[in-house]
Amino acid sequence: MNAIEVKNICKSYGRVQALDDVTLSVGRGEVFGLIGPDGSGKTSLYRILCTLLLPEKGTATVDGFDVVKQMKDIRRRVGYMPGRFSLYQDLTVEENLQFFATLFGTTVEEGYDTVRAIYSQIERFKDRKAGALSGGMKQKLALSCALIHQPSVLFLDEPTTGVDPVSRKELWEMLLKINEERGITMVVSTPYLDEVRRCGRVAFLDQGRIRGIDTPERILDEFKDVFNPAPLKSLHRGTGEGLVIEVEHLVKAFGTFRAVDDISFTVKRGEIFGFLGANGAGKTTAMHMLTGLNQPTSGTGRVVGYDIRTEYEQIKRHIGYMSQRFSLYEDLTVAENIRLFAGIYGMSNREIKEKTDQMLRQLKFEDHRDDLVGSLPLGWKQKLAFSISIFHEPGVVFLDEPTGGVDPATRRQFWELIYDAAHRGITVFVTTHYMDEAEYCDRISIMVDGKIKAMGTPEELKREFNQPDMDHVFTYLARQAKRIDN
């Protein structure tokens, strides 16, 4: 008997057909990939299989139990790690794990062997609140919580989004080891092609329908237009006059811990500057100082001509910013979000109307002007958030992992928007965990343990470290880190 049987499942939300006659099966102990563009129906299928949603038509069983008639039996046997952060941010690491163990009627001690390989890496931070963890540590804790009751089936909805390349590889090695040793069936969705290739089989879900189920190699080859879109044709090289960012000996300390430890660099007008580093390297802390959200402990910095120590309110008015966590209001429509932020930027009603129409045409969002932002697929939200962040034509826009969890085709479209902004003279300061995106930057810095360890064009860095691509450059430098994901 298969671990999962799905037959003719349908699910709709008003006019949107999220799942349309979906049929698939997953063998016991299999690592099965569920892949597809944003809005294809993956999360809806996960929620049905975890008994969080009811299907409108069709049947499904998990571990032999019906998802409608035997919900309680399924909930005792499955682990689920949703795409969005699933932990309680005000509880500590240890308290989160204890809570999930109690929820399933077990104890941390009983399930510790199952999570040992993962949890032991973060156990030293057991008294730290979950909200204060780096992206990689959050995912390790969330995975530990999903496994603590020793499930027979594990559902992972993009478990490595927001995790740096080195930590992603380590997390997958742990998953495959758990699968091999304990025989847990795993259903995983991911936008990373290297992770897709680690699955035994994958199902390609598109617009609510299964378009193919086969080995990763065959699916990725058959649908290469979706998963391997052509790279951007011409690399942008910023040649603008003047410096938009100037940083000298910048330090940010929390007690005796230096999150940012004496960094210096400059960024030119119209340049696409990649700011890379492993989780906990200090990237987000540095970005918070440059955007006026946090004050440095020592050192100096100027952004669009303003001092980061004394003129941070001026900086906020002259920059754009898109955070890791989606920065728009989901209970407002697309048009309402645009008007709200444009008003904050001090734009006139006439200018807002003209630019709104222009932006919606560029994004092909004309028919979605009155849609609630919360109803949009992730990739659409990200493109909208970026477009709004540069709506007022700022001198520089800061993008903190803007394409996390977005499918390859949508990521390419996103970078076309970045190129267009840079060609208009807007400086783009971007962090990313996708190393193919690093290749698109004019210059790159790589942080390790709070310090900048390398800086140059992608070509210069590959030559300097004698590596074939930016993924290998990043891995080479990140593995030299001495502090662990702080």
Side-chain angles (χ1 to χ4, degrees):
M1 183 176 64
N2 287 318
I4 300 170
E5 289 282 0
V6 176
K7 295 181 181 178
N8 311 115
I9 286 290
C10 295
K11 181 66 181 179
S12 62
Y13 306 98
R15 295 174 298 157
V16 178
Q17 189 72 37
L19 296 171
D20 187 5
D21 199 31
V22 170
T23 296
L24 60 84
S25 61
V26 179
R28 290 192 180 279
E30 187 174 10
V31 178
F32 187 86
L34 188 61
I35 61 176
D38 301 306
S40 61
K42 301 187 298 295
T43 299
S44 292
L45 184 55
Y46 273 122
R47 289 176 178 171
I48 287 173
L49 294 176
C50 292
T51 73
L52 301 175
L53 275 180
L54 290 174
E56 290 161 1
K57 294 181 181 178
T59 61
T61 60
V62 177
D63 221 10
F65 297 95
D66 187 275
V67 297
V68 175
K69 300 174 183 176
Q70 298 168 299
M71 290 183 181
K72 290 184 179 179
D73 295 291
I74 290 176
R75 290 175 183 176
R76 284 195 292 267
R77 288 167 169 81
V78 304
Y80 178 41
M81 186 173 163
R84 295 187 177 183
F85 186 38
S86 56
L87 305 174
Y88 291 91
Q89 302 207 34
D90 290 333
L91 296 183
T92 66
V93 168
E94 186 175 44
E95 287 169 344
N96 266 283
L97 193 64
Q98 289 174 342
F99 172 79
F100 279 92
T102 303
L103 198 64
F104 288 102
T106 185
T107 64
V108 172
E109 290 73 23
E110 284 183 59
Y112 190 82
D113 283 346
T114 304
V115 303
R116 181 190 302 275
I118 302 165
Y119 187 67
S120 61
Q121 297 193 12
I122 58 174
E123 195 166 11
R124 56 182 291 210
F125 306 107
K126 65 182 181 179
D127 295 324
R128 183 178 296 183
K129 288 189 176 182
L133 300 176
S134 70
M137 291 174 68
K138 287 176 181 176
Q139 298 302 75
K140 289 173 184 175
L141 176 57
L143 184 55
S144 297
C145 291
L147 283 166
I148 194 63
H149 62 295
Q150 305 175 66
S152 57
V153 181
L154 182 62
F155 294 97
L156 303 170
D157 193 357
E158 298 185 2
T160 56
T161 293
V163 179
D164 69 77
V166 174
S167 297
R168 286 200 298 108
K169 291 170 186 172
E170 292 174 350
L171 199 64
W172 266 88
E173 287 168 4
M174 295 175 199
L175 283 174
L176 295 178
K177 185 178 180 182
I178 290 170
N179 168 259
E180 181 182 349
E181 291 179 350
R182 299 189 172 273
I184 297 175
T185 305
M186 297 182 181
V187 181
V188 188
S189 61
T190 176
Y192 295 100
L193 300 189
D194 60 320
E195 295 182 0
V196 171
R197 292 187 176 96
R198 288 176 175 260
C199 300
R201 290 186 306 142
V202 296
F204 172 33
L205 192 62
D206 184 29
Q207 296 183 334
R209 298 185 69 91
I210 296 287
R211 292 182 59 186
I213 300 177
D214 212 320
T215 63
E217 291 77 13
R218 289 175 180 168
I219 292 294
L220 293 178
D221 181 62
E222 183 178 355
F223 301 101
K224 57 188 174 186
D225 57 321
V226 177
F227 297 104
N228 292 290
L232 294 174
K233 290 183 180 179
S234 60
L235 294 180
H236 179 272
R237 287 291 175 257
T239 56
E241 295 296 324
L243 298 176
V244 176
I245 300 174
E246 303 168 77
V247 172
E248 291 186 6
H249 304 294
L250 200 62
V251 173
K252 181 63 180 180
F254 299 95
T256 59
F257 174 68
R258 286 192 169 198
V260 175
D261 190 4
D262 194 15
I263 64 173
S264 301
F265 63 92
T266 60
V267 183
K268 295 185 296 183
R269 186 173 306 281
E271 186 173 21
I272 301 174
F273 187 80
F275 199 57
L276 309 185
N279 295 115
K283 305 184 303 300
T284 299
T285 302
M287 190 178 287
H288 283 174
M289 287 188 282
L290 296 178
T291 54
L293 298 175
N294 213 331
Q295 290 291 291
T297 303
S298 62
T300 62
R302 298 186 73 83
V303 176
V304 290
Y306 297 103
D307 189 294
I308 63 173
R309 283 182 171 276
T310 61
E311 299 175 297
Y312 42 85
E313 291 302 329
Q314 288 283 358
I315 289 174
K316 291 175 187 177
R317 285 196 285 270
H318 290 85
I319 66 171
Y321 180 62
M322 182 177 166
S323 68
Q324 284 175 295
R325 293 177 182 175
F326 184 50
S327 52
L328 302 181
Y329 291 93
E330 300 210 347
D331 55 352
L332 296 181
T333 67
V334 169
E336 288 168 343
N337 265 283
I338 296 172
R339 172 166 289 280
L340 172 65
F341 283 94
I344 291 172
Y345 295 137
M347 299 175 67
S348 68
N349 288 336
R350 179 179 176 183
E351 191 178 11
I352 292 172
K353 184 180 185 307
E354 290 176 355
K355 292 204 68 174
T356 296
D357 293 340
Q358 177 187 345
M359 189 181 91
L360 293 177
R361 281 196 303 272
Q362 182 185 19
L363 296 176
K364 297 181 173 59
F365 275 22
E366 298 103 314
D367 295 338
H368 302 282
R369 175 190 292 265
D370 298 320
D371 289 1
L372 289 177
V373 164
S375 70
L376 301 177
L378 175 62
W380 292 26
K381 292 178 182 178
Q382 301 296 70
K383 288 188 289 185
L384 178 63
F386 173 69
S387 298
I388 289 178
S389 73
I390 61 170
F391 197 72
H392 59 306
E393 297 291 324
V396 56
V397 60
F398 291 88
L399 308 175
D400 195 0
E401 296 177 27
T403 56
V406 178
D407 65 83
T410 304
R411 286 200 295 114
R412 187 188 187 283
Q413 295 167 11
F414 191 96
W415 272 86
E416 288 173 347
L417 295 176
I418 289 178
Y419 271 29
D420 180 68
H423 281 302
R424 301 204 309 269
I426 298 175
T427 299
V428 179
F429 188 99
V430 59
T431 73
T432 180
H433 287 321
Y434 292 97
M435 292 301 104
D436 60 325
E437 294 184 353
E439 302 275 1
Y440 294 150
C441 297
D442 297 324
R443 281 191 306 141
I444 294 166
S445 77
I446 300 179
M447 288 188 73
V448 179
D449 290 347
K451 297 179 179 291
I452 292 178
K453 289 294 186 182
M455 186 180 299
T457 68
E459 292 76 15
E460 288 169 348
L461 295 180
K462 285 182 280 189
R463 284 197 301 270
E464 179 180 350
F465 296 102
N466 193 29
Q467 300 293 335
D469 53 40
M470 283 307 303
D471 183 67
H472 283 79
V473 172
F474 182 94
T475 300
Y476 173 78
L477 290 170
R479 290 197 185 281
Q480 297 178 19
K482 293 182 173 61
R483 68 191 196 194
I484 303 174
D485 212 8
N486 284 305

